[in-house]
Amino acid sequence: MSESDWDKVTYLRKKQPKASQMRSQQAINTAQRKGVAIETTKKFNAATNKQHHTTLNTAKLDRETEELYHDKVTLEVGKMIQQARQAKGWTQKDLATRVNEKPQVINDYEAGRAIPNQQIFSKLERTLAVKLRGREKGNPVKIGGKDYTSMSESDWDTVTYLRKKQPKASQMRSQQAINAAQRQGVAIETTKKFNAATNKQHHTTLNTAKLDRETEELHHDKVTLEVGKMIQQARQAKGWTQKDLATRVNEKPQVINDYEAGRAIPNQQILSKLERTLGMKLRGKEKGNQVNIGAKDE
């Protein structure tokens, strides 16, 4: 039977309404006429756009954000720091080194971008000898009735602290250190270590010796220079390069180079191909003689 013998039947199916259409007033009226049960659910805060809805908590958070705003160093204080620094002939880096801060911190304080830090303010006041806070802002700092603003660095007293350097761990183990500790009545702990004071780097064990013997047993013989010389002479007699010979024996030129230089590990298959191509025996008692095939001298 061909496809033309079949009867064609067309089915008409009503498309199912979408979920949004099921909730429309028209769909509800249709369902009521058909006597279909209708379920109505009331949702809290339905049809409200919560994205733009301002609650009491949001307003409270806005007020807290405003209250938590940090004050910055005023430009007046920044100008004082800059003038006091320039009066001493210091750069921002010099001042930063003296107060043990980064140069960027000094830059922020002078530009009025920094958030006030009382510890940094104290260091700046002591270093620059200028009050930067309170009612005496801009006045020189006086300690013990002295005006430190007019004092130069040469007026300061230099105090040198001598501290005894701690001994190294190796010195603590020396006989001299042990005797000194005994005289002072210090407790000395002695620990015995296995294989102490032995240089394991050059220590040969039985396993190492065994491994050396196995390595010697697995040593591969190389092609002798005598055989390499034969291959080279036979190749040159035919006027071939190493690449020409490699092409004829279907090997890489590096293989021929290794055989002629005595670096190659003998391979019986390669030696057979070389013998047939060069017409010379490279193995056995007839080494160096010409290869005879079928009583013919190639």
Side-chain angles (χ1 to χ4, degrees), residues 229-245:
K229 195 73 174 176
M230 291 179 185
I231 297 172
Q232 184 181 12
Q233 290 175 351
R235 172 179 60 78
Q236 291 175 349
K238 293 181 178 291
W240 295 342
T241 62
Q242 289 183 347
K243 186 176 181 181
D244 296 334
L245 179 56

Side-chain angles (χ1 to χ4, degrees), residues 222-235 238 240 245 249 255-256 259-260 266-292:
K222 301 291 180 69
V223 174
T224 61
L225 289 174
E226 179 188 5
V227 175
K229 195 73 174 176
M230 291 179 185
I231 297 172
Q232 184 181 12
Q233 290 175 351
R235 172 179 60 78
K238 293 181 178 291
W240 295 342
L245 179 56
V249 298
V255 175
I256 305 301
Y259 268 79
E260 291 185 357
N267 185 301
Q268 301 304 319
Q269 186 177 1
I270 296 176
L271 286 173
S272 298
K273 291 191 290 184
L274 288 172
E275 287 176 345
R276 288 195 302 270
T277 305
L278 296 173
M280 179 183 291
K281 290 289 290 182
L282 301 173
R283 298 169 292 179
K285 296 180 180 179
E286 299 179 0
K287 188 188 299 181
N289 297 336
Q290 292 183 344
V291 176
N292 294 324

Side-chain angles (χ1 to χ4, degrees), residues 4 46 70-71 114 122 134 138 149 161 213 216 246 267:
S4 59
H70 292 286
D71 293 328
S122 299
T149 308
Y161 292 94
R213 288 195 300 273
E216 292 174 2
N267 185 301

Side-chain angles (χ1 to χ4, degrees), residues 26 47 54 138 154 180 189 196 244 253 255 298:
Q26 183 180 359
T54 304
S154 59
E189 180 182 354
D244 296 334
V255 175
E298 291 188 353

Side-chain angles (χ1 to χ4, degrees), residues 172-233:
M172 294 290 288
R173 293 192 294 266
S174 65
Q175 188 61 40
Q176 183 180 359
I178 294 172
N179 295 336
Q182 287 175 342
R183 286 194 299 270
Q184 295 175 4
V186 179
I188 300 172
E189 180 182 354
T190 305
T191 306
K192 189 173 182 181
K193 294 184 179 180
F194 178 72
N195 268 350
T198 58
N199 191 348
K200 293 185 179 181
Q201 184 177 358
H202 302 286
H203 186 59
T204 304
T205 61
L206 294 175
N207 292 332
T208 308
K210 184 178 179 182
L211 181 62
D212 290 338
R213 288 195 300 273
E214 289 180 356
T215 306
E216 292 174 2
E217 292 171 3
L218 294 174
H219 175 71
H220 294 286
D221 293 328
K222 301 291 180 69
V223 174
T224 61
L225 289 174
E226 179 188 5
V227 175
K229 195 73 174 176
M230 291 179 185
I231 297 172
Q232 184 181 12
Q233 290 175 351

Side-chain angles (χ1 to χ4, degrees), residues 40-50 53 55:
T40 304
T41 305
K42 189 175 182 180
K43 294 184 178 180
F44 178 72
N45 268 351
T48 58
N49 190 349
K50 292 185 178 180
H53 186 59
T55 61

Side-chain angles (χ1 to χ4, degrees), residues 4 10 64 80 110 151 166 224 254 272:
S4 59
T10 304
E64 287 181 356
M80 291 179 187
E110 292 185 358
M151 291 179 64
Q166 292 292 332
T224 61
Q254 184 62 38
S272 298

